[in-house]
Amino acid sequence: MKLTEFVLAGCPYCRQAREVLDELYAERPEFAAIEIDVIDESVESALADTYDYYRVPSFFSGRERLYEASPLWPRSEVKRRLEEMLAAQL
């Protein structure tokens, strides 16, 4: 399985998501089998513009948006949603 993640350099929500993903990989090694292509939307803006999202980080399977960050979520909610997203890919 392969996912696409859109990020922005310096984004605190992107950094938090990466930290949570690393934590989830340590807790559930089977998640490491899911490949994630990370795309910086400021570098590949033409590609990013072809996807339907507003906030970063956003994760897609093909063109289906699986996760879009919210600045209102506490870390626990970010972890719950990312774990749910990854588990659904196995």
Side-chain angles (χ1 to χ4, degrees), residues 39-74:
I39 298 172
D40 186 323
E41 72 171 25
S42 66
V43 175
E44 297 188 53
S45 58
L47 175 61
D49 287 344
T50 68
Y51 283 78
D52 181 27
Y53 69 96
Y54 183 72
R55 294 183 188 100
V56 291
S58 286
F59 290 82
F60 290 81
S61 176
R63 293 291 175 158
E64 178 186 3
R65 185 177 56 231
L66 304 176
Y67 175 96
E68 184 170 354
S70 170
L72 303 177
W73 294 339

Side-chain angles (χ1 to χ4, degrees), residues 2-5 18 21 25 34-38 59 86:
K2 188 175 194 174
L3 301 179
T4 302
E5 176 187 14
R18 182 53 44 196
L21 285 172
Y25 293 151
I34 302 166
E35 186 179 346
I36 300 175
D37 286 339
V38 179
F59 290 82
L86 292 174

Side-chain angles (χ1 to χ4, degrees), residues 20 67 72-83:
V20 168
Y67 175 96
L72 303 177
W73 294 339
R75 182 183 176 90
S76 60
E77 182 66 10
V78 170
K79 184 175 181 178
R80 184 190 71 76
R81 288 176 182 250
L82 287 174
E83 184 172 18

